[in-house]
């Protein structure tokens, strides 16, 4: 990120309640081949850190099951558009945040398909 973009992201995170500015920030980008599970891992990480609640995960499970894609429930935390969810391919970079006692994390979920990289 450019310095101005990073400042804007930190300001956005602070406004959204994501952070004590005294904490260090770790930026993570999930990259890999299409269908490697980047969005699924990202969503599961959000669930394990408490940023994805049970109620929302249950909703994603019902909706993905209705499309015959029950294993995609975690991916839907990052893949937000209808087209991404129907095809199971990330088109836009997903962005999420979570914190631990020591650090603040910014998570980016990058597309893996060659047409969207």
């Amino acid at each position: 990120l450019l310095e101005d973009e990073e400042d804007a992201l930190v300001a956005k995170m602070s406004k959204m309640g994501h952070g004590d500015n005294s904490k260090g920030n770790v930026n993570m980008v999930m990259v890999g081949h299409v269908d490697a599970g980047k969005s699924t891992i990202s969503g599961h990480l959000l669930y394990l850190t408490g940023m994805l609640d049970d109620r929302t995960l249950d909703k994603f499970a019902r909706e993905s099951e209705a499309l015959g894609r029950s294993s995609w429930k975690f991916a839907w935390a990052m893949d937000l558009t209808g087209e991404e969810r129907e095809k199971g391919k990330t088109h836009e970079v997903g962005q999420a945040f979570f914190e631990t006692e020591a650090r603040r994390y910014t998570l980016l979920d990058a597309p893996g398909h060659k047409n969207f990289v």
Side-chain angles (χ1 to χ4, degrees), residues 13 16 20-21 23 31 35-36 40 46 49 64 68 71 83 100:
M13 288 173 58
M16 294 172 62
D20 169 359
N21 288 332
K23 290 184 178 185
V31 294
D35 293 333
T40 300
L46 293 176
T49 59
S64 62
S71 65
E83 187 174 6
T100 65

Side-chain angles (χ1 to χ4, degrees), residues 22-66:
S22 67
K23 290 184 178 185
N25 191 58
V26 176
N27 297 313
M28 299 176 5
V29 181
M30 298 301 248
V31 294
H33 192 271
V34 66
D35 293 333
K38 298 174 298 297
S39 297
T40 300
I41 290 171
S42 298
H44 203 153
L45 187 57
L46 293 176
Y47 179 72
L48 293 173
T49 59
M51 294 302 293
L52 176 60
D53 60 71
D54 288 328
R55 182 176 168 188
T56 303
L57 185 61
D58 289 343
K59 177 181 178 246
F60 291 161
R62 284 190 310 275
E63 292 173 353
S64 62
E65 178 81 26

